[in-house]
Amino acid sequence: MRIEEQTRMRSFLLLLVSLLALSCAGQGPRLEGLEKANRYFEKGDFAQAIEEFKVYLELESASTDVSRAQFMLARSFYENGDYPTAAVEFEVYRRNYPRGDSLELAAYYDALCWVEQSPRFDRDSAPTFRAIRKLEDFLREFPAGRQTGTARGKMAEMLDKLARKKLSIARFYADMGRLEAADIYYELLALEFPESPLLSVAVEEWVEIKKARGLEEEAEELLRLKAEWEGRKDRAP
């Protein structure tokens, strides 16, 4: 090989090595930052994980791993107990990455954020209704998803809270001697939550309200319907 060709080859190799070094230098901090955030998450230091994922998303917005970082940022907020912020971040993930690998989990955790914010049955029911809507959306979008069974269980928990609230109001009016109002709320319980485990006891109390109001025929009809309902329940597979 002539000297000129050797010189050109050496220059080309030096340039190639330099480009490779620059490429590795560009990827190094990116990978290190994401791995650091993941390590904090795995250790359970969710507050620090949040900070690391935020930095990564700010500095590496063009990275191929940014969708995963966004999902893990939302998960970090969720695991840290900041459910309102987690719900927002899961929404960001679903909106910005409609083809992301974690769409089902993001929808599931988005619903769980509202489940976690649902208070006791005797408090404001607005977050409970929001949780039910989110669970309904999830079950409609992922009817055969891996989290479907758990989501249905959470739905039953939320519906039970609403049924308990109706029952508590009916009992409150009954204790106050406002039998007509109590009658209305027992009826609402039966109409809105026909599958509630509370219904059997509630109907027994409702029968007593009917009798106290002098509505013996309606009381007898309720007892007949209760027996029929319990018979169907016992025969169910």
Side-chain angles (χ1 to χ4, degrees):
M1 183 181 292
R2 290 180 299 177
I3 293 176
E4 293 85 353
E5 293 175 347
Q6 290 177 342
T7 301
R8 284 198 299 272
M9 180 61 70
R10 187 178 297 110
S11 298
F12 173 75
L13 290 173
L14 288 172
L15 177 61
L16 182 61
V17 169
S18 298
L19 290 172
L20 287 172
L22 287 172
S23 175
C24 292
Q27 291 180 8
R30 194 154 57 221
L31 292 173
E32 181 183 348
L34 188 57
E35 290 172 357
K36 184 192 295 186
N38 285 325
R39 285 197 297 270
Y40 280 119
F41 183 90
E42 293 299 327
K43 289 192 301 183
D45 189 347
F46 302 115
Q48 190 60 44
I50 288 168
E51 296 307 314
E52 296 296 336
F53 283 122
K54 280 182 177 179
V55 170
Y56 180 84
L57 288 167
E58 289 173 3
L59 298 180
E60 308 295 343
S61 59
S63 169
T64 56
D65 295 313
V66 70
S67 65
R68 181 63 181 169
Q70 175 61 46
F71 176 78
M72 291 304 297
L73 174 63
R75 276 288 311 276
S76 299
F77 276 115
Y78 177 86
E79 299 297 343
N80 205 42
D82 187 349
Y83 303 116
T85 305
V88 171
E89 297 297 341
F90 282 120
E91 289 280 3
V92 169
Y93 174 86
R94 297 175 67 198
R95 182 180 66 248
N96 291 351
Y97 309 103
R99 298 182 183 277
D101 295 332
S102 301
L103 282 177
E104 180 185 336
L105 273 177
Y108 174 68
Y109 275 107
D110 185 17
L112 287 190
C113 287
W114 290 96
V115 169
E116 294 292 348
Q117 294 179 75
S118 171
R120 284 167 43 94
F121 74 88
D122 54 350
R123 305 292 176 85
D124 179 19
S125 296
T128 305
F129 280 110
R130 184 67 181 272
I132 289 171
R133 286 196 296 272
K134 287 286 187 177
L135 288 165
E136 287 173 341
D137 290 344
F138 171 78
L139 291 169
R140 183 169 51 252
E141 190 173 356
F142 303 98
R146 296 181 62 182
Q147 312 299 329
T148 297
T150 308
R152 292 189 188 282
K154 296 295 182 183
M155 177 75 80
E157 291 178 18
M158 298 299 99
L159 291 173
D160 182 68
K161 284 187 180 182
L162 297 181
R164 287 183 182 279
K165 184 159 193 172
K166 280 286 190 302
L167 182 58
S168 70
I169 296 173
R171 287 172 171 172
F172 170 78
Y173 282 127
D175 291 341
M176 293 287 291
R178 297 178 60 181
L179 302 184
E180 185 175 355
D183 197 340
I184 291 171
Y185 274 91
Y186 280 115
E187 183 175 4
L188 288 173
L189 172 60
L191 291 174
E192 294 177 16
F193 307 99
E195 302 300 322
S196 173
L198 299 173
L199 195 56
S200 181
V201 171
V203 170
E204 292 178 3
E205 297 175 9
W206 192 11
V207 166
E208 295 305 314
I209 295 295
K210 292 289 190 186
K211 290 179 178 179
R213 295 186 64 204
L215 304 173
E216 295 291 340
E217 290 185 7
E218 292 185 17
E220 291 298 322
E221 179 64 11
L222 281 178
L223 288 173
R224 186 189 67 77
L225 291 173
K226 177 176 179 290
E228 182 180 310
W229 174 71
E230 289 178 343
R232 287 199 306 268
K233 185 175 63 173
D234 292 339
R235 290 192 299 272

